[in-house]
Amino acid sequence: MGVQPTTERGRRTRERIVAAAAEVVAQKGALGASLDEVGERAAASRSQLYHYFDDKSDLLRAVAESTNEAVLGAQDDLFAGLGTWPGLVRWTDALVALQEERGGVGGCPIANLLGQLGERDDEIRAVLSDGFDRWEASIRAGLTAMVASGELRADADADWLAASTLASLQGGLILAQARRDPLPLRRALDGAIRLIATYRTTTKA
Amino acid sequence: MGVQPTTERGRRTRERIVAAAAEVVAQKGALGASLDEVGERAAASRSQLYHYFDDKSDLLRAVAESTNEAVLGAQDDLFAGLGTWPGLVRWTDALVALQEERGGVGGCPIANLLGQLGERDDEIRAVLSDGFDRWEASIRAGLTAMVASGELRADADADWLAASTLASLQGGLILAQARRDPLPLRRALDGAIRLIATYRTTTKA
DNA sequence: CACCGACTGGACTTGACAGTCCACTCCGCG
DNA sequence: CGCGGAGTGGACTGTCAAGTCCAGTCGGTG
């Protein structure tokens, strides 16, 4: 996987390259992203790219990892609140608001990369799959906490509900991207919430 | 959009090109598909491609339309049964079985195309969005029929449930593709079914 | 059978991209 | 202060793709 930088200067250059690559990939797609453009945007020359990365695939792998961190990191605060019902609702509201902000453009960056590279590079697929795993684990942790606190009934299957909820989210994002309209995302997440609600102990909304 | 064939021979050539292009795109992705390879696989020369299509985008648009037909057409029989509970269950079972068959490889072709081209070509996005609309409409029709027959309560919102179900399906496919495992799809669809089940009038499973 | 337009073949041009190469600079260390 | 390795610059090459062009062939019609 290329040369690992040993100096501070090299570390920053490598980071600049990954950040620039992530931007270009988001704009032009993974295959449409040219190393020339990445280099230009990172103010790094061709040979620097090949100094830190073996080839384009290697760079894209780094982009995939960085995308995981960006997507999950942006939700960290919200994940922390998932252990309560209002926190769960807040999380979905934030996701819909984010999609509204973007005018429905662009779905989930992880899913986008998966669609473009998942069948072409198994390592990248594994990286992105791990991103989904962590996402699902955060949801599951919240649900498990709600079971422990008695907010959800003990027969609620957190594994199943977490997987199903993440699927609703991902599917909702796809439909929102297709229609350029956040409504399908809202509906999908309402479905997920409503399903979880069938396991609530308190009846009020 | 290129020249519309007037002779039978031309019609078959055009069709061969679209079919070949769909294959290549499925294998290599939309951007990775070269016209050379499409031509070779269709036993058509370069100029034939440009005779029937303005450019690559135009061809990809035709591929998108053909993909819609393929995906929706394959489910026609199952759509017909969606108006009853056992038919709904049968539909989900068939989708999971299909994903098992493929070893989790490749998600929904419509979603894949959307991820690759949706942000780059608005016309293609619209075509694929229309595919989802038709998909959703088929589900909605089934749910509406169940409401009419009294199998579902009258307060079941078919619009919402159809959108949410399609989202679960799409999200489940993404996760299944990422993990190379059909389980997430099964869980997602179980979630969708379970949600619809909360509106059933008869209580038995 | 000659004509005509639809259809076909494949060489050619142009440009872009991944990846290579080597000369150079920077900077810590003895 | 000069040595050496990490880091940098950018020209260069080979490959391959999109799109153009024009000389053909085919088959139905008068």
Side-chain angles (χ1 to χ4, degrees), chain B residues 59-112:
Chain B
L59 174 58
L60 288 174
R61 222 163 296 137
V63 168
E65 278 161 18
S66 139
T67 300
N68 274 351
E69 302 310 321
V71 171
L72 296 175
Q75 296 176 78
D76 258 351
D77 296 346
L78 293 159
F79 285 158
L82 278 185
T84 68
W85 189 261
L88 176 65
V89 172
R90 218 180 311 129
W91 175 62
T92 64
D93 288 348
L95 290 168
V96 173
L98 177 64
Q99 193 61 16
E100 259 162 16
E101 238 171 64
R102 294 194 294 180
V105 174
C108 168
I110 299 180
N112 280 343

Side-chain angles (χ1 to χ4, degrees), chain B residues 163-181:
Chain B
S164 174
T165 300
L166 181 56
S168 289
L169 166 55
Q170 289 297 326
L173 282 169
I174 288 190
L175 297 179
Q177 183 182 11
R179 300 237 175 96
R180 293 262 186 267
D181 175 0

Side-chain angles (χ1 to χ4, degrees), chain B residues 12 15 21 29 36 40 64 67 79-80 85 95 103-105 111 119 124 128-129 131 139 144 149 158 173:
Chain B
R12 276 211 313 275
E15 203 162 280
D36 280 327
E40 195 180 350
T67 300
F79 285 158
W85 189 261
L95 290 168
V105 174
E119 302 300 331
I124 294 186
L128 298 169
S129 176
I139 300 170
T144 305
S149 74
L173 282 169

Side-chain angles (χ1 to χ4, degrees), chain A residues 28 120 125 133 136 179, chain B residues 28 120 133 136 178-179:
Chain A
K28 311 269 180 107
R120 298 168 74 87
R125 204 213 80 241
D133 285 348
E136 192 176 318
R179 299 238 178 96
Chain B
K28 311 268 179 106
R120 296 170 74 88
D133 284 347
E136 192 175 319
R179 300 237 175 96

Side-chain angles (χ1 to χ4, degrees), chain B residues 126-204:
Chain B
V127 168
L128 298 169
S129 176
D130 185 60
F132 282 137
D133 284 347
R134 287 164 56 194
W135 205 335
E136 192 175 319
S138 292
I139 300 170
R140 185 170 48 241
L143 295 173
T144 305
M146 281 198 260
V147 170
S149 74
E151 201 158 354
L152 294 182
R153 292 203 316 269
D155 66 329
D157 180 342
D159 286 353
W160 167 52
L161 288 172
S164 174
T165 300
L166 181 56
S168 289
L169 166 55
Q170 289 297 326
L173 282 169
I174 288 190
L175 297 179
Q177 183 182 11
R179 300 237 175 96
R180 293 262 186 267
D181 175 0
L183 177 61
L185 176 61
R186 180 71 272 176
R187 283 178 158 164
L189 288 172
D190 281 349
I193 284 192
R194 180 68 180 255
L195 177 62
I196 299 172
T198 63
Y199 292 94
R200 276 187 99 185
T201 47
T202 55
T203 6
K204 71 161 192 180

